[in-house]
Amino acid sequence: MAKQGEEGFLGFLELHDRRRRHAGSDRRRRMEDSRADGRNPNQLRPFSCTRNPLDRAHGSARWAQGDTIVLAAVYGPKPGTRKGENPEKASIEVVWKPMTGQIGKQEKEYEMTLKRTLQSICLLTVHPNTTTSVILQVVGNDGSVSFCRNLLPCAINACCAALVFAGIPLKHLAVAIGCGVLEDGEVILDTNKAEEQQLKSFAHLVFPNSRKSASSKQPNQKEEDSERGLITSITHGVMSEEDYFSCIERGLAASSRISDFMRTTLQKQAAGDV
C-alpha cells in the first residue's frame, strides 16, 4: 500500500475511533451479550493448524476454525508459466475443491480472490517463469452442506501456512478474518452458519501479519508502518461507512490473536527442523 494510501487508511481509522468513543451505553451493553454459542461479539472460534498432513505435497496445512476446516496443499515451484502470465515473475494458480458437488460461481470468485491475495504476499521475482499450485480442499463446512461465508478466511489462513511449510519466499504472512454486521449495526467476528442468516452485511478482511511471526528479528519502525493496512477487503450486502470501519477496527484487533498463533506454529516448525 502506498504511503498516501496508508495515511488515508489510518486517518479513517482515527476518525472512526473518535466516533466510537462517543457511542451510547446501549451499544456497549450489547458488546457484553453472549452469542448463541456462548462467545462474545469479538471472540473467535477455536482454531488449530496441522503441519504437512499430506506427504506428497511440497507443503501442506490443515486449518480449522470451529467446525470450518480447510486443507491446503502447495506444489512447486514448477518450471514454466501459463499463457498470459508474466514469465519474468513466478505465477500462482489456485484450485478450489468443494466438500461435495461441483465448483460453482462463488468458488470461482474465491479462487480469484485467493490468487490475488497470495500473489500480493509472495516474492514473485525469486523464482521467475515458474508456477506454484495451491490446492484447497474443503473438509468441514460448519456442519452444513451448503456454502457458508466463513470458508474464505479459513482458506486464506490455510494457504499462508502451507506456503510457509513449502518454503515459498514471502514478503510477509497474511491473516484473514470474517466480520458480520447485524441489523442493529452490531459487528460480530468469525460468524458461524446459523449467525449468517441474521446478517445484513459481511466483510472478508485480510491484514498483513507481523514480520516477527516469520522470524526472530524484531521489526523496525519502517517495517511496522508498512505492515499496517489491508491486503484484501471484500464486502457483501449493504454496509455503511461506519459499519465498514467498525469491521476493520474489530478485525484488526482480533487478527493479532491469529498472528500470535501463527508465530507459535512457525517457531515449533523451526525448532523441529533444527
Side-chain angles (χ1 to χ4, degrees):
M1 185 178 288
K3 182 176 180 56
Q4 183 178 359
E6 291 176 1
E7 292 174 349
F9 172 77
L10 296 176
F12 271 121
L13 282 185
E14 291 171 0
L15 174 61
H16 172 71
D17 188 54
R18 288 197 295 271
R19 292 176 179 173
R20 180 182 56 81
R21 292 194 191 104
H22 292 87
S25 59
D26 289 343
R27 192 178 183 95
R28 289 196 295 270
R29 280 197 298 269
R30 288 200 303 270
M31 279 292 296
E32 299 172 356
D33 294 339
S34 293
R35 291 147 74 172
D37 58 6
R39 292 183 291 150
N40 65 50
N42 289 334
Q43 189 173 356
L44 307 178
R45 292 171 298 166
F47 42 84
S48 64
C49 179
T50 303
R51 177 194 177 194
N52 289 333
L54 302 177
D55 293 334
R56 295 186 178 182
H58 294 118
S60 61
R62 179 185 183 275
W63 188 279
Q65 291 180 221
D67 293 326
T68 306
I69 307 169
V70 176
L71 191 64
V74 175
Y75 299 89
K78 299 170 290 186
T81 58
R82 288 187 172 186
K83 184 178 180 180
E85 300 282 356
N86 184 357
E88 296 183 359
K89 293 184 178 181
S91 175
I92 304 291
E93 67 174 3
V94 176
V95 177
W96 184 290
K97 294 185 176 182
M99 189 167 62
T100 59
Q102 300 295 318
I103 186 172
K105 178 181 177 182
Q106 185 67 74
E107 287 87 355
K108 286 188 175 296
E109 289 179 0
Y110 278 8
E111 284 182 342
M112 184 61 66
T113 299
L114 278 161
K115 179 176 179 177
R116 290 173 178 170
T117 299
L118 299 181
Q119 283 179 328
S120 71
I121 67 172
C122 290
L123 289 170
L124 302 179
T125 57
V126 175
H127 298 294
N129 198 27
T130 62
T131 299
T132 296
S133 300
V134 182
I135 314 297
L136 278 300
Q137 174 66 62
V138 178
V139 179
N141 197 7
D142 202 15
S144 174
V145 295
S146 60
F147 193 85
C148 60
R149 296 193 182 280
N150 54 33
L151 274 172
L152 182 59
C154 188
I156 292 174
N157 292 331
C159 285
C160 289
L163 287 170
V164 172
F165 297 149
I168 302 299
L170 304 177
K171 302 173 187 176
H172 48 69
L173 298 178
V175 175
I177 203 160
C179 305
V181 182
L182 299 171
E183 290 294 339
D184 62 358
E186 185 57 62
V187 174
I188 56 177
L189 302 182
D190 193 20
T191 58
N192 57 37
K193 184 64 178 178
E195 290 173 330
E196 289 184 8
Q197 310 306 317
Q198 307 169 25
L199 302 178
K200 70 172 184 178
S201 54
F202 192 89
H204 291 129
L205 304 173
V206 185
F207 300 97
N209 196 3
S210 172
R211 290 179 188 270
K212 62 184 179 182
S213 295
S215 69
S216 59
K217 180 178 76 69
Q218 293 296 321
N220 57 37
Q221 185 61 47
K222 183 177 180 180
E223 288 174 338
E224 288 179 346
D225 289 341
S226 69
E227 291 160 2
R228 305 176 73 176
L230 279 171
I231 296 175
T232 302
S233 172
I234 301 174
T235 60
H236 307 264
V238 179
M239 182 177 293
S240 67
E241 180 182 295
E242 182 74 13
D243 290 341
Y244 179 64
F245 286 104
S246 289
C247 288
I248 292 178
E249 179 187 38
R250 302 277 185 81
L252 184 60
S255 68
S256 63
R257 297 168 225 166
I258 302 179
S259 295
D260 291 342
F261 174 75
M262 282 190 172
R263 183 179 306 119
T264 301
T265 301
L266 295 180
Q267 287 174 344
K268 289 181 180 178
Q269 177 206 2
D273 291 343
V274 171

